Amino acid sequence: AQSVTQLGSHVSVSEGALVLLRCNYSSSVPPYLFWYVQYPNQGLQLLLKYTSAATLVKGINGFEAEFKKSETSFHLTKPSAHMSDAAEYFCAVTKRSGGSYIPTFGRGTSLIVHP
Amino acid sequence: DAGVIQSPRHEVTEMGQEVTLRCKPISGHNSLFWYRQTMMRGLELLIYFNNNVPIDDSGMPEDRFSAKMPNASFSTLKIQPSEPRDSAVYFCASSSGQAYGYTFGSGTRLTVV
């Protein structure tokens, strides 16, 4: 069964520093992978997605993620953190169920950005 | 497109009362999902529909929970009777296929006192 594990429930960085949020997946077939961001009191917003094309995926707000099959990883990075990046980030993988594909989410990583 | 629209944004109700949450998916999306988010359990899938038909409701916690999708543009999640442990944020999401991702509504924050 497909699932994702996000390492670290909280990540703290200084403004301008590199952001690295980790996600590992388990899947028996090449998966579809996603990163979502949730700002306080809002819904989840799609940051980027991997759909079996390029392994390096660029998303919104300067974020990108690299699919590494050998490591079963899909880590999210951003070269320079902004205060506005402080939010909850979720990694998700789709799994097939009843003829449909449904997203299964990790527990989330809270990104804290210090001035 | 206005995105996925959920109502109400906030709901406070007394234990034992019936609660109905509403969702309007994005036009043209054929899949609809209801999620519950709590600090303890994170995001839990409650039920999902494909072409208005419920496909998997194994995530619905109890018989007190029910969901319907009478047409492609409207779905409801009902809790009857409500209990304090049902307090959570409930999200609706829709999709036109996994390759396109899933679009979430802003959620309904339910508080049962």
Side-chain angles (χ1 to χ4, degrees):
Chain A
Q2 289 92 328
S3 67
V4 291
T5 301
Q6 292 184 240
L7 300 176
S9 59
H10 295 82
V11 170
S12 182
V13 300
S14 297
E15 192 174 18
L18 171 71
V19 175
L20 171 61
L21 304 182
R22 300 176 187 274
C23 173
N24 288 89
Y25 69 91
S26 62
S27 174
S28 57
V29 297
Y32 281 33
L33 291 158
F34 307 85
W35 274 100
Y36 282 83
V37 60
Q38 184 180 29
Y39 298 102
N41 299 315
Q42 294 187 26
L44 280 72
Q45 180 183 356
L46 181 65
L47 266 180
L48 50 80
K49 61 187 178 188
Y50 168 76
T51 58
S52 305
T55 57
L56 182 62
V57 181
K58 293 188 183 298
I60 63 173
N61 302 337
F63 284 94
E64 62 181 36
E66 186 172 7
F67 173 71
K68 292 187 176 181
K69 185 177 179 181
S70 60
E71 299 178 7
T72 61
S73 69
F74 190 58
H75 301 333
L76 181 71
T77 60
K78 182 174 179 178
S80 177
H82 292 171
M83 296 295 291
S84 60
D85 294 327
E88 190 85 11
Y89 292 80
F90 294 90
C91 182
V93 64
T94 54
K95 69 174 185 178
R96 189 175 176 88
S97 173
S100 299
Y101 290 90
I102 62 174
T104 300
F105 290 86
R107 290 304 305 270
T109 298
S110 178
L111 177 64
I112 302 162
V113 182
H114 297 286
Chain B
D1 196 326
V4 176
I5 300 173
Q6 290 186 246
S7 63
R9 286 297 310 273
H10 302 274
E11 176 80 35
V12 180
T13 190
E14 292 185 346
M15 182 175 61
Q17 296 298 306
E18 176 180 297
V19 176
T20 299
L21 312 181
R22 298 173 176 79
C23 175
K24 177 179 169 56
I26 290 175
S27 177
H29 283 192
N30 61 346
S31 296
L32 183 140
F33 309 83
W34 281 100
Y35 284 87
R36 178 171 68 177
Q37 186 179 38
T38 61
M39 289 291 291
M40 290 295 294
R41 297 184 177 178
L43 273 164
E44 303 173 274
L45 178 65
L46 301 177
I47 184 171
Y48 76 95
F49 296 83
N50 207 31
N51 295 319
N52 311 339
V53 176
I55 303 299
D56 186 350
D57 65 354
S58 60
M60 298 284 260
E62 301 172 32
D63 290 344
R64 299 183 295 106
F65 286 69
S66 63
K68 294 181 180 180
M69 192 166 186
N71 56 61
S73 60
F74 184 65
S75 176
T76 59
L77 178 68
K78 184 179 293 186
I79 308 173
Q80 166 63 18
S82 58
E83 297 182 4
R85 59 192 168 128
D86 301 331
S87 297
V89 181
Y90 291 81
F91 288 104
C92 174
S94 69
S95 175
S96 58
Q98 63 166 341
Y100 304 98
Y102 305 84
T103 303
F104 280 75
S106 297
T108 295
R109 181 175 296 277
L110 173 65
T111 303
V112 183
V113 297

